[in-house]
Amino acid sequence: MTVLDGNIVTVAMPAVQSDLGFSAPGLAWIVNAYLIPFGGLLLLAGRLGDLLGRKRMFTAGLAVFTVASVLCGVADGRGVLVAARALQGFGGAMTSAVVLGMLVALFPEPREQGRAIAVFSAVGAAGGALGTFLGGALTQALNWHWIFLINLPIGVAALVAALRILAPDRGAGLGGGADYPGAALVTGALMLTVYAIVGAGERDLAGTLALGALALALFAGFTLRQARAARPLLRLRLFRSRTLTSANGVQILMIAGMYGFQYLGALYLQRVLGYSELLTGTAFLPAPVVIGALMLTLSAPAIARFGPYRVLLAGLALITAGLALLGRAPAEGAYVADVLPPLLLLSVGFAAAMPAVTGLAMTDAGAEDAGLASGLFNTTQVVGGSLGLAVLTTLAASRTERLTGAGEHVVAATADGYRLAFTVAAVVAATAFALAAALLRPRREPRRVPPARPHDASPDPRSVNSPFPKGYTPSSNSGRKLS
């Protein structure tokens, strides 16, 4: 539900714009108002889950998200909708930040944990892929209000189930790490980072660089604070884990390419091939079906047999190939020939890569830091998606504008812009593959050599494998027969 709401508005935005009178730049805030608090609060919410209890944080977030969804659904003005979307982002951060930590605690055995992470990844991937379909179907069949109201029954059911099924857990308490100045610094830095990224297309380069510099200054202040605080919000030793740090870096690049495809792929179908909202959503349906089926049946066994490193590399290779194929999609393209094959490659690749990188990112997280590691992992997802969306859409729009200014037909120019974006996304995915291959290779355990037997040690003559004939006993006088 929380992943779905990150992009369910993509197909419905033209209807929202005509109904509420959003300007073209203002329309982007329907997405940005959700992403900024969602990405900015994940790290803080994950740590608070460790301190206050993950079940408490999870259920409180569900309640906030569900109420905010209803407010979005009944909104009759631009300001109300944007504010309600921001509240949704708060609730989404509270739930998403702790869920991986809960899974690690609930399923400590490696094989069960691998399957649990695969199920979790399948649900999240299905939510992301179904967002496009549901957004188009609900908008065309009813109206755009229902893309938010659909969350009410889901949210209530999830909240009731969580309260009844999940066992209460006791956090360390606020005295165990409530670093409020550090919380303010890191939350401000993350929100500013997401804001700088998602709004990059609406301002000049100097403004974006200034915001980026301010975000870096806040991050530097946060790092200094954590190094000196008696009870830090974030234990910097967490980043000593090469596996955790590298897995999060790989995820940023992977999600940047995938999120760009999801957004630009829908626009390609609508603006180049002329698909309606419902037909666009239907065209994306093979993705959640393939992803869900593979994650629930093959991902965990494959990881158990071949290891997360090999499965991750295979998935990233397929993602790179799918994006490279989309980089050749023509203006007169056909769905079966030009869209479906790369869509299937991307789906299979994501079904392999996502559970593998999730497991690697949580490998070195202890029980006291599981919520924080979960929040960090979800934070890099949002940063990667926001960064990919901002960069790839800007590249596509710039190429299209330059070609139409030179007199090329708008549809051909638009298709050329999307091809450039998909090609760059393929390069980003290839970089993720190279990073994973170099930094996530498992360390080989040194071979244990059994201690050498002393020279004067003699085998037991009563042993089955004794080299001496029956009736002989070794002595200092070798070769002498003893009766």
Side-chain angles (χ1 to χ4, degrees):
M1 182 177 62
T2 55
V3 174
L4 180 147
D5 263 63
N7 66 346
I8 195 171
V9 298
T10 302
V11 181
M13 283 206 288
V16 178
Q17 183 177 20
S18 62
D19 194 7
L20 299 183
F22 275 96
S23 63
L27 192 63
W29 280 101
I30 301 176
V31 176
N32 297 349
Y34 180 81
L35 288 178
I36 291 171
F38 186 87
L41 290 169
L42 280 168
L43 200 59
L44 174 60
R47 187 56 180 161
L48 288 177
D50 291 332
L51 300 177
L52 300 176
R54 298 183 192 113
K55 177 180 178 179
R56 186 180 301 175
M57 181 64 63
F58 182 76
T59 52
L62 274 176
V64 171
F65 188 92
T66 305
V67 171
S69 297
V70 175
L71 294 176
C72 288
V74 300
D76 57 359
R78 297 188 297 272
V80 176
L81 180 58
V82 170
R85 285 285 285 170
L87 188 61
Q88 266 192 318
F90 278 89
M94 293 168 68
T95 57
S96 300
V98 296
V99 67
L100 271 177
M102 294 168 67
L103 281 180
V104 171
L106 285 169
F107 302 98
E109 196 274 322
R111 185 176 294 273
E112 287 188 347
Q113 188 178 106
R115 180 157 179 80
I117 289 177
V119 172
F120 165 74
S121 301
V123 172
L130 282 173
T132 306
F133 170 73
L134 289 177
L138 292 172
T139 301
Q140 190 161 324
L142 300 169
N143 57 58
W144 65 264
H145 296 275
W146 284 94
I147 66 175
F148 302 113
L149 294 176
I150 192 66
N151 290 330
L152 178 59
I154 301 173
V156 170
L159 182 59
V160 171
L163 290 172
R164 294 185 60 185
I165 295 173
L166 295 177
D169 59 327
R170 175 170 294 189
L174 289 177
D179 177 23
Y180 298 109
L185 284 169
V186 72
T187 302
L190 287 170
M191 283 190 172
L192 198 59
T193 299
V194 178
Y195 172 67
I197 292 172
V198 299
E202 303 172 19
R203 67 177 77 92
D204 57 16
L205 180 61
T208 300
L209 291 177
L211 290 173
L214 181 56
L216 286 176
L218 291 175
F219 276 123
F222 171 71
T223 303
L224 290 174
R225 170 70 187 177
Q226 299 313 288
R228 299 177 179 178
R231 293 186 176 91
L233 176 73
L234 172 60
R235 296 181 180 92
L236 296 181
R237 62 174 170 77
L238 194 66
F239 294 98
R240 295 176 187 170
S241 167
R242 188 187 72 173
T243 302
L244 180 145
T245 305
S246 302
N248 278 277
V250 168
Q251 182 186 222
I252 288 178
L253 297 174
M254 181 181 74
I255 296 296
M258 289 296 298
Y259 202 86
F261 149 73
Q262 196 167 346
Y263 184 81
L264 294 174
L267 293 179
Y268 172 81
L269 291 174
Q270 288 180 291
R271 295 180 177 177
V272 177
L273 301 188
Y275 282 25
S276 66
E277 292 93 341
L278 180 59
L279 194 56
T280 298
T282 305
F284 272 86
L285 268 184
V289 173
V290 171
I291 291 172
L294 291 180
M295 282 187 175
L296 293 175
T297 58
L298 294 180
S299 293
I303 290 173
R305 180 173 181 179
F306 301 107
Y309 172 74
R310 292 186 178 89
V311 175
L312 174 60
L313 291 185
L316 289 173
L318 291 174
I319 290 173
T320 302
L323 291 170
L325 280 179
L326 280 172
R328 304 174 59 188
E332 303 82 12
Y335 174 76
V336 174
D338 301 304
V339 178
L340 186 58
L343 179 67
L344 294 177
L345 282 175
L346 289 166
S347 302
V348 175
F350 190 76
M354 194 61 196
V357 77
T358 303
L360 287 168
M362 298 297 293
T363 297
D364 294 337
E368 71 279 6
D369 290 322
L372 181 60
S374 174
L376 177 65
F377 186 76
N378 283 283
T379 299
T380 57
Q381 273 192 0
V382 175
V383 171
S386 302
L387 184 62
L389 186 60
V391 172
L392 296 178
T393 54
T394 301
L395 286 173
S398 300
R399 171 66 70 89
T400 300
E401 185 178 353
R402 186 167 66 253
L403 291 177
T404 52
E408 190 167 340
H409 190 272
V410 63
V411 174
T414 302
D416 197 273
Y418 293 151
R419 282 196 297 271
L420 172 64
F422 291 138
T423 301
V424 172
V427 174
V428 171
T431 305
F433 178 92
L435 185 66
L439 299 180
L440 290 174
R441 181 185 296 275
R443 296 184 180 91
R444 290 186 177 180
E445 294 291 336
R447 293 183 61 184
R448 295 183 178 179
V449 180
R453 178 175 295 177
H455 292 294
D456 60 347
S458 301
D460 185 351
R462 292 165 295 181
S463 170
V464 175
N465 298 319
S466 173
F468 296 98
K470 185 176 181 180
Y472 280 79
T473 303
S475 68
S476 58
N477 299 319
S478 61
R480 176 179 166 185
K481 183 176 180 180
L482 300 178
S483 59

